[in-house]
């Protein structure tokens, strides 16, 4: 006798529910998406005890008549697709016809619906798959679906639910995603009799961000748009100041659907490379519109992942659009002066810098006006931009400055003053200069008066051979000098401040690092970072007036000068307005 039986429909639905309905938040998502597909303009979500006791979603959509209301809770019933052709370009959020049947198989459900032209509505009740007849009732136009006691007959599933607070957080997250993608909707979220979000229709995305996250986040976003090859992108890019330790504030929407995608996440990471520190995550709200035919949503039960037919194109277009905007934007950090004491070491240094600055620049005192007599023939730092660009002319505006603790420069800015980390800034200047030079050709080198010799083992000698091209491009000339010994004969002018032997040793470490050398682009970038760091002015190094002047001039001429290549800030801005506030002058 065979062992195989056909499962009854309710079992099938419960199993389907295992995939689609993981927790109360999944119910909220499915019900809200149904309301949106039914063209609601107003949605109200009410939950009690993290949605475990009650989830109720009310909309003002087209509604369902008695027959549809009964059918909606059967499995594989949908009004959204008919033939396999429809699967090729799904424009609705739902299409699988499984959600309502799944939900009704694992909870007590009551649905009331009234179509636009009907005089009265209908209701239906289902208790874990046990369905009652549809019966007429009064009700507003649209649909209300109430889901009570989720998983009450499935202790195993219930056990996996977290505390009501945690489940509420998941629900709020689902609500937030839908609210960001549908700013035209009037939306409300109530939790245990308290209003969590009350969003009016036709808000802008930044307004919604301000309401649902914070005004600070909303105020620190830069908008960029791009439209190319049928791919429309609108991005709100978080400035470095609001970057996070995780990627939770990265919202990606594809045609109104919240998705997670590793190609897009990678593009975001790359776009911020060097703009924020490597272990931080930028805040970003990314809205992508593209033809429905260019991707498949039928690959994941909750549709959080999609399959792009041309992921490389999407990656490169997103990366291009974001990077261009980030590089073209001034991203200096605005100083937030703490109201009481400066706690950190760095804070104290800044405080000292400020005190000294004000002491020396009292208006009555006649101060040295460093820039009033521009010097034309200073040559330091050689590693700056001075030799290579037209930016040698000093700015017209007078800028006063001063070096603090041989590490920081305090300088006047258009709107107050700034504190510059001399090493970080110089590093960025050299890095950009190296990039530009290397894009065009190789680095210009000069012969060393006395070649510097060093010893290499076989592995290292092999590495030098292998990366001959890169080494030559960098303008380093290494020649054999006896058994196991090599000598550096020429070294790049731009890196003149670095010690040639130290440089080559660090270079060898990078060439030998498997994590780095497997990706030529990464390797190249790491080499430039290392070179810039080695050649840059150090913290603790006394600078002459002309060197400081040159730094300030180079800062203005350098892209991304507000961050060092590792993503740390180079400059902190203090605005006059902020100072006035701090001194209680406003
Ligand atoms: P799907 O959304 O994949 O079609 P569901 O099980 O979620 O499947 O819903 C089944 C059908 O019920 C939908 O196709 C739609 O016709 C109808 N429906 C569900 N919710 C609503 C609603 N709020 N307003 C109007 N119709 C609805
Ligand atoms: Mg649905």
């Amino acid at each position: 006798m065979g062992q195989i039986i056909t499962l009854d429909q309710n079992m099938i639905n419960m199993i389907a529910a295992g995939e689609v309905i993981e927790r109360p938040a999944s119910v909220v998502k499915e019900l809200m998406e149904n309301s949106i597909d039914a063209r609601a303009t107003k949605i109200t979500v009410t939950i009690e005890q993290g949605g475990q006791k009650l989830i109720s979603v009310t909309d003002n959509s087209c509604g369902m008549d008695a027959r549809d209301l009964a059918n909606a809770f059967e499995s594989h019933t949908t009004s959204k697709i008919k033939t396999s052709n429809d699967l090729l370009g799904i424009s609705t959020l739902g299409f699988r016809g499984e959600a309502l049947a799944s939900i009704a198989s694992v909870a007590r459900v009551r649905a009331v619906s009234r179509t636009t032209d009907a005089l009265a509505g209908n209701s239906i009740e289902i208790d874990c798959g046990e369905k009652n007849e549809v019966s007429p009732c009064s009700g507003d136009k649209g649909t209300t679906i109430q889901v009570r006691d989720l998983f009450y007959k499935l202790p195993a599933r219930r056990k996996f639910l977290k505390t009501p607070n945690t489940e509420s957080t998941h629900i709020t997250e689902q609500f937030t995603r839908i609210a960001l993608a549908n700013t035209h909707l009037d939306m409300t979220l109530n939790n245990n009799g308290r209003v969590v979000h009350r969003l009016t229709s036709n808000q802008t995305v930044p307004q919604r961000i301000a309401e649902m996250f914070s005004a600070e986040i909303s105020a620190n976003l830069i908008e960029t748009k791009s439209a190319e090859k049928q791919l429309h992108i609108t991005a709100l890019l978080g400035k470095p100041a609001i970057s996070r330790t995780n990627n939770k504030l990265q919202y990606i929407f594809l045609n109104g659907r919240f998705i997670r995608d590793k190609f897009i996440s990678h593009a975001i990471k790359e776009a911020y490379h060097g703009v924020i520190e490597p272990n931080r995550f930028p805040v970003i709200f990314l809205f992508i519109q593209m033809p429905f035919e260019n991707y498949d949503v039928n690959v994941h039960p909750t549709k959080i992942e999609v399959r792009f037919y041309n992921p490389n194109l999407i990656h490169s277009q997103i990366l291009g659009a974001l990077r261009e905007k980030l590089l073209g934007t001034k991203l200096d950090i605005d100083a937030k002066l703490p109201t009481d004491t400066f706690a950190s070491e760095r804070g104290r240094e800044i405080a000292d810098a400020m005190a000294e600055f004000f002491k020396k620049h009292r208006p009555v005192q006649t101060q040295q006006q460093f820039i009033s007599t521009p010097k034309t023939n200073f040559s330091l730092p050689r590693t700056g931009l001075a030799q290579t660009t037209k930016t040698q002319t000093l700015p017209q505006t007078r800028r006063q400055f001063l070096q603090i603790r041989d590490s920081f420069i305090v300088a006047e800015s258009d709107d107050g003053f700034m504190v510059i980390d001399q090493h970080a800034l110089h590093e960025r200047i050299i890095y950009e200069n190296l990039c530009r030079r290397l894009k065009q050709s190789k680095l210009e080198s000069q012969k060393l008066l006395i070649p510097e010799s060093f010893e290499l083992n076989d592995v290292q000698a092999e590495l030098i051979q292998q990366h001959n091209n890169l080494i030559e491009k960098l303008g380093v000339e290494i020649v054999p000098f006896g058994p196991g010994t090599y000598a550096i004969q020429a070294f790049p002018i731009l890196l003149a401040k670095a010690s040639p032997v130290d440089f080559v040793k660090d270079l060898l470490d990078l060439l030998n690092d498997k994590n780095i050398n497997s990706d030529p682009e990464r390797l190249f970038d790491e080499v430039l970072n290392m070179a810039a760091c080695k050649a840059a002015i150090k913290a603790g190094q006394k600078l002459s007036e002309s060197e400081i002047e040159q730094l300030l001039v180079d800062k203005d001429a350098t892209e991304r000068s507000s961050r060092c290549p590792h993503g740390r800030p180079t400059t902190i801005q203090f605005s006059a307005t902020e100072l006035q506030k701090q001194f209680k002058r406003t």
Side-chain angles (χ1 to χ4, degrees), residues 22 63 147 195 224 254 299 360 364 376 380 382 409-410 435 478 485 487 578 581 583:
E22 189 197 346
V147 178
V195 180
T224 185
L254 172 63
V299 294
K360 293 209 177 166
V364 281
T376 45
L380 269 171
R382 292 201 318 181
I409 314 289
V410 179
C435 283
I478 301 175
T485 309
E578 181 65 29
K581 247 205 290 187
F583 288 113

Side-chain angles (χ1 to χ4, degrees), residues 82 209 307 354 532 583:
K82 286 198 172 68
I209 292 171
R307 187 178 296 137
M354 283 170 67
F583 288 113

Side-chain angles (χ1 to χ4, degrees), residues 34 38 59 61 64 72 77-80 94-100 143:
N34 277 346
D59 68 43
S61 67
M64 287 176 272
T77 50
T78 179
S79 56
K80 300 170 194 176
F95 65 91
R96 298 162 63 104
E98 274 182 343
L100 291 186
T143 304

